[in-house]
Amino acid sequence: MEKRSTTTTPEDPTVAERGWEGLRVWWLVDRASTGSADVVFNMTEFSPGKTHGLHRHPNAEEVLYVLEGEGLHLSEGEPVRQRAGEVVFIPRGEWHGFANDSEGPTTVIAVFGGVGSYEEAGYEDKEDVETG
């Protein structure tokens, strides 16, 4: 058993170079930090007006739970309002994203299944794929 929190785990320093300005990300459970073989758990705080655009993970399922605040769950269809206490399931390879269109911060928890690291989940940005 290993207990971890945002106070004992450093923020991801690569957020800006990933293009995720205005997001604060903590990787709380993964292979590197805990030895996890099949689950990755992160917490992300979205500043007001910030978006993580459409992307997909070809090698992992994801669940996204809004812990605090609200925003829009993005997909190839119409955006869906997601509020604190609500979770969405994102199948492997499905385009998705999240936009904090509220006036306060929004905190989400993401869990990736079947992988031990975010890198193993794979990451494809929809804009990059389309302009490829």
Side-chain angles (χ1 to χ4, degrees):
M1 193 280 295
E2 184 171 340
K3 184 172 115 177
R4 296 174 57 85
S5 73
T6 57
T7 58
T8 61
T9 304
E11 268 184 68
D12 183 340
T14 68
V15 168
E17 63 193 55
R18 293 180 194 227
W20 302 347
E21 289 84 11
L23 278 61
R24 298 178 67 199
V25 179
W26 293 266
W27 299 97
L28 296 169
V29 174
D30 62 7
R31 183 174 292 114
S33 63
T34 64
S36 171
D38 295 314
V39 68
V40 174
F41 182 106
N42 89 359
M43 190 169 97
T44 301
E45 185 179 285
F46 287 77
S47 297
K50 296 301 177 181
T51 298
H52 186 177
L54 286 178
H55 63 282
R56 65 182 173 193
H57 309 287
N59 306 319
E61 299 176 326
E62 181 179 350
V63 292
L64 186 76
Y65 178 82
V66 176
L67 185 62
E68 178 180 70
E70 66 179 277
L72 295 175
H73 177 79
L74 309 174
S75 69
E76 290 190 281
E78 290 295 315
V80 174
R81 172 84 31 213
Q82 193 176 353
R83 293 181 172 86
E86 297 178 333
V87 65
V88 295
F89 169 71
I90 304 150
R92 183 182 319 260
E94 183 175 292
W95 295 110
H96 65 283
F98 189 84
N100 179 0
D101 65 341
S102 73
E103 294 184 18
T106 296
T107 303
V108 302
I109 294 169
V111 179
F112 300 86
V115 295
S117 71
Y118 188 69
E119 293 73 26
E120 287 176 26
Y123 183 89
E124 297 174 334
D125 184 279
K126 186 162 176 59
E127 215 173 271
D128 290 346
V129 169
E130 290 179 344
T131 60

